[in-house]
Each structure stands twice: as C-alpha cells, then as structure tokens.
Amino acid sequence: MDVRIGTATDLDDLVRFLLMAGEGLFEYLFDDAYPGLTARDALALGVGDAESPYHFENAYLVESDNRVVGCLIAFPAEQIGLPELAYSVLPRDRLDPVRPLFEEHVPGSLYINTLAVDESMRGQGVGGLLLDFAAELARGGDCASMTLHAWGDNETALSLYAARGFECVDKVEIPRTAQLRHEAPMLLLQCPVA
C-alpha cells in the first residue's frame, strides 16, 4: 500500500470519503439547504477551492491494486472551518447545532478532519497507516499533538484511536436528526506527538 497526496483528479474519491467519514453530517448541512444543492456538490466545491481546508492538497490517499482505499484529510487546527461560501448559504438552524465542530480546536495541533477506509479494506491496517502518516505530518509541521472528532458511539474508530494514544478532551452535543443518527455526542480527541 502506498500513500500519496491528493490531486484534482481525485475529486470523486475525496468526496466519497468525506461523506463516509461524516456519517450524515454533510447531508444534514447541505442537502436542499439551497434549492437543488446536495452535500456531494458542496463538498466537490470545497475540495476544489484552494482556500478551503478540504482542498485536495490537504488530502492523502492510500492506494492498493490501483484503487483508492483510504483517505486522510489533515491540516493545522487553526484552519478548521467550512469554506466561507457555506456560511452564507447554510440556514442558521442547520449550522448552529454543529458549529462547534467547525470552530473549536486545540491550538498547535494537526487536525485530522477525515480518516476513512473503504469497507473492503477495513481491519487490514489502512487506518493505522494513515494515523502514522498523520503523526509524521504533525512532527514535520511542528505540531505538539493531533486532534480529531469522532462519534462517541463509533466503537471501531474509538478503539483504533485509543490504541494510538488519543484521549477525549471535549464533547459536542449534537441533536439527533434523520441524517445524524448517532445518540452519543461528538468527541474531540487529542494525542500528543512524540
């Protein structure tokens, strides 16, 4: 398996992994927030926008057998947020309940926005490989730690993060909706970079 930086030609894969990792978050935010808008369309704009933290140059992809099987999108935590356009398009009743996810951060950390693995490759070390790669990025960027958000009831992800030294430093209560089916809060996890 190889890790490589994302390119403009990876747009479809990046959007797929963002939707997978968001587990309904982006659909909740964007689907029909503006007539005809879909989460897929909004994310594609973000992936292509050089000013967006979701830009493909912040993405790292794992390939196996000439297909993308894992994705990491990471950047300095100070860059956390949605593309500016999103703040003007999204209704407040959608944005306000999840706003802390896009504003609160741990200064000096590398924020792992997306860590997702294709279902066919889960349990084969792809997630660990991406976390190791993120740690290298953090060290190279003089970050003291890595941070990420994870649903409090996502036991598989939480198990991986705990094994890698992540600990909960904050909780964000998010109301349950048709798209956001998690009953547990979103956890902000942090791991020091050795």
Side-chain angles (χ1 to χ4, degrees):
M1 289 185 281
D2 296 314
V3 179
R4 66 171 176 80
I5 194 166
T7 67
T9 60
D10 295 312
L11 186 130
D12 289 339
D13 280 320
L14 292 172
V15 169
R16 175 173 64 98
F17 283 112
L18 278 161
L19 289 169
M20 183 187 310
E23 295 190 63
L25 177 65
F26 296 111
E27 292 87 344
Y28 164 75
L29 281 172
F30 294 109
D31 280 352
D32 295 320
Y34 188 82
L37 181 66
T38 68
R40 186 170 297 283
D41 296 337
L43 290 172
L45 289 172
V47 167
D49 179 0
E51 300 299 314
S52 165
Y54 301 96
H55 189 251
F56 59 80
E57 289 180 345
N58 288 331
Y60 304 90
L61 304 169
V62 175
E63 288 187 325
S64 178
D65 297 325
N66 293 318
R67 66 185 182 95
V68 177
V69 298
C71 175
L72 167 75
I73 299 177
F75 43 83
E78 289 75 12
Q79 295 177 11
I80 199 168
L82 290 169
E84 284 304 313
L85 177 64
Y87 291 104
S88 63
V89 170
L90 293 173
R92 288 189 60 131
D93 65 328
R94 287 194 193 195
L95 182 58
D96 286 348
V98 297
R99 188 179 292 271
L101 297 177
F102 301 105
E103 293 180 352
E104 296 176 6
H105 65 278
V106 176
S109 69
L110 178 77
Y111 182 70
I112 299 172
N113 174 271
T114 303
L115 191 140
V117 176
D118 190 86
E119 193 171 330
S120 67
M121 293 295 288
R122 291 184 185 157
Q124 297 183 40
V126 176
L129 174 66
L130 289 169
L131 284 175
D132 290 344
F133 192 82
E136 289 298 319
L137 290 172
R139 282 189 282 278
D142 292 325
C143 295
S145 65
M146 298 183 295
T147 54
L148 57 85
H149 282 101
W151 290 107
D153 56 1
N154 185 342
E155 294 178 17
T156 302
L158 292 175
S159 176
L160 171 64
Y161 301 141
R164 294 302 180 110
F166 282 85
E167 295 181 356
C168 183
V169 295
D170 198 10
K171 295 179 183 179
V172 179
E173 297 291 340
I174 298 176
R176 190 172 180 195
T177 69
Q179 295 95 343
L180 300 173
R181 296 170 298 279
H182 294 274
E183 295 191 27
M186 185 70 82
L187 306 178
L188 177 60
L189 306 176
Q190 182 177 20
C191 175
V193 176

